[in-house]
């Protein structure tokens, strides 16, 4: 698919790194001068802008956390003056105080640019009608997609969320070709459409979905693509980054992170140590051209893997894989980081057991033990004990190779495992440390 | 012909903890289903309850509706002389004809002794036992 900004998107990796260094150096210098908060952080770490002499020196800089945004509510982190700001967004405070982010004109500019490139990489452009069914308002999803789509020359249909039947009517009447929403909302739309006697596959022009803002899986992608007859692309962004957002390209093999806009690292969530490409860890992002407030080595809390190998689309910017979980959900078992989402993915590939599970971590003497409780599927249930033991062996084997740490497996009666999505009941940690 | 002796046993997955058998038995009681014979096979942490009941289809539905994992298994019920050598006779027929027993349980009551077996070749087992003068429970006892 054609690039929106061919010069930047195809820039040789070495040049890209040079550009990143120049931008990072300018950012640190600017922030050190203007942000009292981050200057203080750097002083505590005993580091000055002069100490940044290569791109790798970025690793010497202190991290920022969501807590920093909360502690400085509403705008204590802002260093841009009030008259430079053109917009605020506010995230909901479901897990604590709300957080406020702000944008200068350039911050809105780079945000739109990031999504213009992204949408073009999904094959969208002039002549497309993008229905934006992300929430408009304080949430960043709706307006982000809106500006990106206008930038790339598409026609925006700003439906926001809700009133699904009307959304489907408009989708037909105005010939929507692409939709931006959460994957679960699109599935809901598909069901509502069928009840209305409308097949999204046959009765609409929809061909692309830009889906995100919640965790989803390859299985869900396959279902959406096959059922609705569209191509479904993963989008990544979070309000705290307050700027660029990213999507997969037409290859659907990871999300391109525009390196001139964002510098990404993957770190060990426990130690903060930077991990080499290909290793799973916490995403850390520096927004290189941010002007309103510092977003430097921000610990996003999302778990992913960085892929720096060349992409078949020709874009030279690295990719992150589908987000695999949250740091808050991480367990450390015998020194190994374990994410409940890894267990979930492993189980999805074993037809003999259901998708529900519970992890029980305990400590026997000095050693951590992990037990994964699963249900035998109806098809696989045999009254021969040896068959059931074999299922248990299969699951144990798969978990060990996925998690790199051994876990016992317990077969339990159907319906006895928590059905809620929440973490609280899926993990029981009995260790008293 | 052989089919009329193949009995539907219900097999129920059960966690190995207090009260599980009571839950199964209570459900069958409430549905007024009579249990002729049953056994429990146990492994580490779980078990399988196997039972011959008078109404296997109803039992299956009742337990499934309550959330149990239930399946049907084909078994045969072989009548034995309730005296020394009774089991030996039957086991010899199966052994001599190369039929392997996967599991077995037995009961002895007013009507004599019965050996319930799951074998690797169920129709072959029926034929061999009948050919050698053995007697089998009719599947029609279990509607």
């Amino acid at each position: 698919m054609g690039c929106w900004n061919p010069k930047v998107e195809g820039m040789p990796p070495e040049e890209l790194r040079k550009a990143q260094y120049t931008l990072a150096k300018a950012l640190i210098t600017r922030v050190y001068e203007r942000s009292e908060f981050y200057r203080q952080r750097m002083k505590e770490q005993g580091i000055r802008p002069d100490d940044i002499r290569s791109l790798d020196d970025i690793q010497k800089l202190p991290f920022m956390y969501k807590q920093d945004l909360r502690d400085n509510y509403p705008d204590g982190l802002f260093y841009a003056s009030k008259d430079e700001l053109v917009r605020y967004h506010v995230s909901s405070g479901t897990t604590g105080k709300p957080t406020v982010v702000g944008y200068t004109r350039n911050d809105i500019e780079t945000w739109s640019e990031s999504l213009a490139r992204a949408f073009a990489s999904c094959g969208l452009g002039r002549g497309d009608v993008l229905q934006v069914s992300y929430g408009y308002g304080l949430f960043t999803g709706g307006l982000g997609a809106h500006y990106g789509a206008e930038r790339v020359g598409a026609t925006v249909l700003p439906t926001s969320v809700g009133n699904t039947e009307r959304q489907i009517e408009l989708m037909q009447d105005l010939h929507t070709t692409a939709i931006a929403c959460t994957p679960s909302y699109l599935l809901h739309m598909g069901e509502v459409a069928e009840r209305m006697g409308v097949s999204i596959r046959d009765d609409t022009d929809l061909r692309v979905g830009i889906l995100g803002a919640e965790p989803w899986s390859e299985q869900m992608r396959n279902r959406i693509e096959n059922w609705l007859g569209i191509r479904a692309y993963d989008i990544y962004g979070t309000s705290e980054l307050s700027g660029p957002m990213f999507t997969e390209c037409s290859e659907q093999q990871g999300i391109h992170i525009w390196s001139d806009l964002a510098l990404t690292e993957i770190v060990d969530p426990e130690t903060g140590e930077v991990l080499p490409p290909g290793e799973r860890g916490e995403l850390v992002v520096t927004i290189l051209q941010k002007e309103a407030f510092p977003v430097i080595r921000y610990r996003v809390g999302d778990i992913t893997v960085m892929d720096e190998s060349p992409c078949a689309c020709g874009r030279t910017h690295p990719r992150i894989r589908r987000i695999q979980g949250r740091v808050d959900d991480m367990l450390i078992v015998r020194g190994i980081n374990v994410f409940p989402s890894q267990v979930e993915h492993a189980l999805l590939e074993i037809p003999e057991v259901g998708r529900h599970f519970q992890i029980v971590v305990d400590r026997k003497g000095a050693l951590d033990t992990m037990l994964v409780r699963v249900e035998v599927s109806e098809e696989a249930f045999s009254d021969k004990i040896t068959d059931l033991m074999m299922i248990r062996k299969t699951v144990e084997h798969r978990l060990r190779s996925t998690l790199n740490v051994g876990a016992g497996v317990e077969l339990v009666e159907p319906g006895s495992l928590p059905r809620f999505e929440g973490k609280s009941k899926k993990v029981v940690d009995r260790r008293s440390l | 012909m052989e089919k009329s002796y193949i009995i539907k046993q219900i097999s129920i997955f059960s966690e190995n903890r207090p009260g599980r058998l009571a839950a199964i038995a209570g459900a069958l009681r409430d549905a007024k289903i009579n249990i002729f014979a049953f056994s429990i096979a146990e492994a580490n942490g779980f078990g399988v309850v196997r039972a011959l009941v008078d109404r296997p289809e109803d039992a299956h539905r009742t337990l499934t509706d309550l959330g149990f994992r239930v399946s049907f298994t084909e078994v045969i019920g072989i009548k034995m002389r309730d005296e020394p050598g009774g089991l030996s006779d039957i086991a010899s027929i199966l052994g001599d004809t190369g039929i392997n027993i996967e599991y077995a349980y037995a009961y002895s009551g007013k009507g004599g002794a019965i050996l319930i077996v799951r074998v690797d070749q169920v129709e072959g087992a029926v034929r061999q036992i009948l050919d050698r003068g053995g007697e089998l429970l009719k599947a029609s006892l279990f509607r």
Side-chain angles (χ1 to χ4, degrees):
Chain A
M1 304 274 177
C3 289
W4 172 251
N5 190 336
K7 186 166 159 278
V8 173
E9 291 173 54
M11 191 180 273
E14 238 349 272
E15 269 183 60
L16 210 43
R17 279 180 64 82
K18 270 188 207 150
Q20 279 191 305
Y21 170 68
T22 309
L23 288 165
K25 181 83 182 175
L27 174 74
I28 302 308
T29 309
R30 176 169 77 240
V31 165
Y32 193 83
E33 273 169 25
R34 298 189 62 180
S35 162
E36 197 188 323
F37 163 83
Y38 203 74
R39 181 169 55 242
Q40 197 54 38
R41 274 273 158 98
M42 284 174 69
K43 281 184 173 162
E44 283 163 19
Q45 198 103 334
I47 182 168
R48 299 171 44 80
D50 295 346
D51 298 323
I52 306 299
R53 297 196 190 91
S54 73
L55 201 51
D56 287 342
D57 284 342
I58 295 291
Q59 297 176 15
K60 296 176 184 165
L61 291 167
F63 290 119
M64 286 180 65
Y65 299 87
K66 178 139 192 158
Q67 194 58 41
D68 294 326
L69 288 156
R70 290 203 192 103
D71 291 347
N72 291 282
Y73 178 88
D75 57 358
L77 291 183
F78 289 33
Y79 61 78
S81 61
K82 280 254 155 59
D83 64 352
E84 290 175 284
L85 294 177
V86 298
R87 192 178 320 154
Y88 290 122
H89 278 284
V90 183
S91 83
S92 56
T94 45
T95 54
K97 254 199 248 175
T99 52
V100 177
V101 291
Y103 302 77
T104 66
R105 191 158 299 286
N106 280 336
D107 291 341
I108 300 281
E109 185 69 21
T110 51
W111 187 7
S112 309
E113 166 74 14
S114 68
L115 281 172
R117 292 183 201 169
F119 290 160
S121 81
C122 301
L124 299 179
R126 292 176 77 89
D128 276 300
V129 177
L130 179 74
Q131 185 162 339
V132 178
S133 308
Y134 284 121
Y136 276 71
L138 293 174
F139 173 61
T140 50
L143 284 164
H146 184 111
Y147 275 59
E150 282 191 354
R151 173 66 58 92
V152 84
T155 310
V156 177
L157 178 58
T159 47
S160 195
V161 285
N163 203 345
T164 308
E165 296 192 359
R166 185 170 163 76
Q167 296 233 9
I168 292 160
E169 282 167 18
L170 290 171
M171 178 182 281
Q172 286 189 289
D173 295 347
L174 294 169
H175 301 281
T176 297
T177 58
I179 187 163
C181 61
T182 61
S184 57
Y185 187 65
L186 186 54
L187 285 169
H188 174 68
M189 277 182 102
E191 285 161 13
V192 173
E194 286 199 346
R195 281 204 292 277
M196 292 163 66
V198 175
S199 155
I200 288 185
R201 168 187 281 276
D202 300 327
D203 304 330
T204 75
D205 294 326
L206 194 72
R207 59 180 183 84
V208 167
I210 306 287
L211 311 178
E214 69 186 13
W216 59 310
S217 63
E218 277 309 300
Q219 279 85 358
M220 224 164 147
R221 187 205 313 259
N222 292 337
R223 189 167 154 226
I224 288 170
E225 291 195 336
N226 294 332
W227 180 33
L228 304 179
I230 66 168
R231 293 262 273 167
Y233 298 97
D234 198 6
I235 182 169
Y236 182 73
T238 153
S239 69
E240 303 106 87
L241 296 181
S242 69
M245 291 181 173
F246 313 94
T247 69
E248 292 176 315
C249 64
S250 51
E251 299 296 321
Q252 295 179 311
Q253 295 289 325
I255 295 167
H256 283 284
I257 303 293
W258 310 120
S259 301
D260 56 319
L261 304 178
L263 175 68
T264 45
E265 302 164 83
I266 300 290
V267 305
D268 182 315
E270 273 306 288
T271 63
E273 182 198 344
V274 176
L275 300 172
E279 286 208 28
R280 177 199 313 272
E282 181 181 357
L283 185 64
V284 172
V285 182
T286 300
I287 301 297
L288 290 168
Q289 302 190 33
K290 185 71 188 169
E291 290 184 344
F293 64 92
V295 183
I296 298 175
R297 301 201 84 203
Y298 184 80
R299 302 279 295 256
V300 182
D302 288 326
I303 299 298
T304 185
V305 175
M306 202 78 193
D307 182 357
E308 295 189 351
S309 67
C311 181
C313 75
R315 290 176 183 82
T316 50
H317 298 239
R319 288 164 288 163
I320 55 167
R321 290 212 205 117
R322 191 183 282 288
I323 299 303
Q324 297 170 12
R326 292 281 305 164
V327 169
D328 317 334
D329 295 342
M330 186 179 81
L331 289 162
I332 303 173
V333 180
R334 274 171 258 155
I336 307 276
N337 299 340
V338 172
F339 299 96
S341 55
Q342 292 175 282
V343 173
E344 191 169 356
H345 289 142
L347 295 179
L348 281 172
E349 289 170 16
I350 310 173
E352 289 89 348
V353 294
R355 66 188 184 90
H356 301 287
F357 65 92
Q358 187 173 47
I359 299 171
V360 182
V361 187
D362 208 340
R363 179 160 287 186
K364 300 253 159 67
L367 199 64
D368 293 334
T369 61
M370 178 164 61
L371 182 71
V372 178
R373 310 177 76 219
V374 294
E375 297 170 359
V376 178
S377 70
E378 198 178 338
E379 299 73 34
F381 172 51
S382 155
D383 85 326
K384 281 166 71 177
I385 295 286
T386 45
D387 291 349
L388 295 170
M389 301 285 263
M390 190 58 75
I391 292 173
R392 191 159 70 181
K393 269 250 146 38
T394 304
V395 179
E396 278 177 355
H397 189 81
R398 177 62 65 89
L399 287 177
R400 172 174 277 281
S401 68
T402 304
L403 306 177
N404 294 317
V405 61
V409 169
E410 185 175 297
L411 302 180
V412 301
E413 290 172 19
S416 60
L417 294 176
R419 254 55 183 168
F420 307 103
E421 293 305 308
K423 169 205 178 195
S424 53
K425 293 196 170 161
K426 285 205 159 142
V427 177
V428 179
D429 197 338
R430 296 194 179 130
R431 293 174 292 190
S432 42
L433 304 179
Chain B
M1 212 300 270
E2 287 85 1
K3 290 240 186 297
S4 62
Y5 296 102
I6 296 172
I7 302 167
K8 270 186 182 176
Q9 169 197 268
I10 58 164
S11 306
I12 307 132
F13 182 87
S14 171
E15 287 168 29
N16 193 353
R17 57 186 167 85
R20 297 321 292 152
L21 181 60
I24 294 167
L28 295 177
R29 173 199 61 209
D30 294 346
K32 300 197 165 32
I33 289 165
N34 192 32
I35 303 171
F36 288 138
F38 90 104
S39 84
I40 300 177
E42 107 284 356
N44 188 12
F46 66 89
V48 176
V49 175
R50 301 160 178 152
L52 289 193
V53 297
D54 57 351
R55 285 152 42 219
E57 298 282 353
D58 290 347
H60 190 294
R61 194 174 43 250
T62 300
L63 291 167
T64 301
D65 287 350
L66 288 170
F68 285 98
R69 189 68 81 223
V70 190
S71 71
F72 286 128
T73 311
E74 295 186 338
V75 297
I76 52 174
I78 311 168
K79 293 191 182 168
M80 298 182 287
R81 287 186 292 117
D82 195 2
E83 56 188 54
L87 175 61
S88 169
D89 292 349
I90 303 301
S92 298
I93 294 175
L94 296 172
D96 291 348
T97 53
I99 289 165
N100 194 42
I101 298 174
E102 288 176 349
Y103 59 74
Y105 50 104
Y107 74 86
S108 158
K110 296 194 288 283
I114 300 289
L115 178 70
I116 298 147
V117 287
R118 175 175 173 170
V119 292
D120 55 351
Q121 326 150 37
V122 62
E123 294 193 16
V126 169
R127 213 163 33 241
Q128 296 295 351
I129 287 161
L130 294 177
D131 285 355
R132 283 167 171 69
E135 272 190 85
L136 292 164
L137 290 186
K138 284 276 207 183
S140 52
L141 288 170
F142 314 93
R143 282 164 295 160

